[in-house]
Amino acid sequence: MIRFGPAGIPLSCKGRTLRDGIEDVHHLGLTAMEAQLVRAHVQERPAEAEEIGLSPRELTSDMVIEIVRKKGTKDEIVSDLDEKIKKGDTLVALTSGIAKSYQELHGLKVMADELDVTLSIHTPYYMDLISEGELCFKSMDAIKWGGIIGGELGASMIVTHLGLYGDVNPKVAAKRVKDRIGDLAKWYKKQGIKTPLGLELSGRQEIFGSLQEIAKICKEVDGVVPVLNFAHYHSRENGLLKEPKDFDELFDALSEVSGREYYTHFSGVEHEAGNEKRYTSIKRGDLRFEPLAEALVDRNEPMTVISGSPLLEHDAMYMKVILERVLAKKVSKEVKESSTSNKKDKAGS
């Protein structure tokens, strides 16, 4: 099955909550939506009397992601969301803009399942897993938070960028990213988060995330898969994606590490000298959806296509229409060829 949906709440949606977005996506005839984790932050607070004996999953006031508990002279960090809160505990609560509590997340999961809308999470767009500074640790935290939310939502993917090379050479950058992504993948497994961590191809030469770099990490780290951003790849490779065979070659290059089930982004794009300048609507620029649609119909593999276009849900629906036209054309051709073949067989007999 090929699913289409917007990167965020649809522009036409009157409400701005995730619940509003899921309903709107369904009414538009789309079947996927990527929620944006853009305003996430944590705050510590003491456990209140009425919370003693409850687990973080049972709280309705906020989303507690960790319990800090005194153990002698040291602090113990408890990440088990089913652990009962004790007197004297300090709670670390996450505010994300996606949902207030785990119970709300569970309600959203049930709703999305009933409406056949597959959800995914995109971490903040500016990430840094390469430097040695504070921003790197904040980025790793954001990926953990995305995993917690995505795991409770039943998300299909946690998508992340990886950061600028800066003054670090590509070889050192690759090792740092691999080590940190490896640590995050182990943390996901320890927390029981089954949602895969998706590494997005980058669209600029100074940003880590070439096809080769992403494929190598995904091959070496369990639980990590590529996120195929066509506009980024097209820009970084100087407008390479023109014909169905160009898309086929890209899919084939990632088939081993994707399990032949692809999570992708598509939009129009302006680019220059191997660097993306900006996203555009699909009808603008030199990256066309029709060749991709032909490749998708011929491959017949599961895929999610997220629209990052400025027109968002409008271009998601536009892609869906194009794919349906290409599929109808192929079916019509096969029926005609089959009919012609049958006539020849009858004439020959």
Side-chain angles (χ1 to χ4, degrees):
M1 181 177 182
I2 298 175
R3 295 178 176 271
F4 293 94
I9 295 169
L11 300 173
S12 58
C13 185
K14 293 181 180 179
R16 304 313 297 168
T17 68
L18 183 54
R19 176 176 292 275
D20 296 325
I22 294 169
E23 288 180 341
D24 207 53
V25 163
H26 172 68
H27 291 319
L28 291 169
L30 301 171
T31 53
M33 179 181 170
E34 186 180 84
Q36 311 296 299
L37 187 66
V38 293
R39 301 189 302 275
H41 65 274
V42 295
Q43 186 174 7
E44 292 188 1
R45 64 173 181 81
E48 298 178 7
E50 61 269 23
E51 296 172 332
I52 307 303
L54 299 177
S55 71
R57 280 200 172 96
E58 294 173 314
L59 301 182
T60 58
S61 57
D62 53 15
M63 193 181 302
V64 171
I65 57 173
E66 287 180 343
I67 299 171
V68 182
R69 180 171 293 160
K70 286 290 184 184
K71 197 169 186 179
T73 58
K74 296 182 179 180
D75 287 339
E76 177 189 16
I77 305 298
V78 180
S79 300
D80 183 356
L81 301 180
D82 293 314
E83 173 75 12
K84 299 300 182 182
I85 297 168
K86 297 180 179 179
K87 185 177 180 180
D89 283 347
T90 297
L91 308 181
V92 181
L94 172 67
T95 302
S96 68
I98 291 179
K100 184 175 71 172
S101 67
Y102 294 111
Q103 292 184 25
E104 185 178 346
L105 285 176
H106 295 159
L108 291 169
K109 178 184 183 303
V110 170
M111 177 185 177
D113 288 344
E114 290 176 347
L115 297 179
D116 191 29
V117 175
T118 296
L119 299 174
S120 53
I121 302 289
H122 200 302
T123 64
Y125 283 89
Y126 192 85
M127 300 292 281
D128 176 12
L129 294 186
I130 294 175
S131 76
E132 304 278 52
E134 183 182 356
L135 184 56
C136 174
F137 299 106
K138 287 183 176 179
S139 296
M140 292 184 72
D141 280 343
I143 295 172
K144 289 180 179 179
W145 301 339
I148 292 171
I149 292 172
E152 299 294 313
L153 268 180
S156 65
M157 188 72 63
I158 309 298
V159 182
T160 188
H161 298 292
L162 300 167
L164 296 163
Y165 294 105
D167 57 1
V168 179
N169 73 60
K171 188 174 181 180
V172 173
K175 185 180 186 309
R176 289 182 183 177
V177 171
K178 179 191 169 184
D179 289 347
R180 288 160 183 172
I181 288 296
D183 289 342
L184 288 164
K186 290 175 183 175
W187 186 87
Y188 271 36
K189 186 175 182 180
K190 183 179 178 182
Q191 296 301 118
I193 298 170
K194 297 179 181 179
T195 307
L197 179 56
L199 311 185
E200 187 171 339
L201 301 184
S202 75
R204 298 185 62 84
Q205 302 296 325
E206 72 265 24
I207 301 175
F208 186 93
S210 69
L211 174 64
Q212 294 75 20
E213 288 169 335
I214 296 297
K216 188 172 189 297
I217 293 175
C218 292
K219 187 175 182 178
E220 295 174 351
V221 180
D222 289 338
V224 179
V225 296
V227 170
L228 213 174
N229 187 312
F230 295 106
H232 286 175
Y233 180 76
H234 183 71
S235 299
R236 189 163 180 145
E237 298 299 325
N238 293 290
L240 179 65
L241 299 173
K242 297 176 181 177
E243 304 295 333
K245 66 178 180 60
D246 301 323
F247 290 95
D248 271 327
E249 288 172 2
L250 180 54
F251 286 130
D252 289 343
L254 295 174
S255 62
E256 182 182 350
V257 290
S258 69
R260 291 194 174 277
E261 183 169 349
Y262 305 90
Y263 185 94
T264 72
H265 284 187
F266 197 96
S267 70
V269 66
E270 292 180 9
H271 58 94
E272 183 179 8
N275 290 297
E276 174 190 312
K277 295 171 69 176
R278 65 185 65 84
Y279 282 169
T280 70
S281 62
I282 290 175
K283 290 183 179 179
R284 294 182 58 188
D286 63 345
L287 178 60
R288 298 165 51 246
F289 184 72
E290 287 82 355
L292 172 56
E294 290 181 34
L296 296 184
V297 167
D298 288 339
R299 296 182 76 90
N300 192 30
E301 293 171 330
M303 186 172 305
T304 298
V305 184
I306 297 296
S307 167
S309 156
L311 296 182
L312 217 53
E313 74 272 17
H314 303 286
D315 270 350
M317 291 186 288
Y318 177 62
M319 288 188 283
K320 183 171 178 278
V321 168
I322 291 176
L323 184 73
E324 289 169 350
R325 287 175 182 169
V326 171
L327 179 59
K329 186 177 179 180
K330 181 183 179 183
V331 171
S332 177
K333 182 180 177 181
E334 290 176 348
V335 169
K336 186 180 291 187
E337 289 175 350
S338 176
S339 177
T340 301
S341 177
N342 290 336
K343 288 179 181 179
K344 288 181 179 179
D345 290 343
K346 288 180 180 178
S349 61

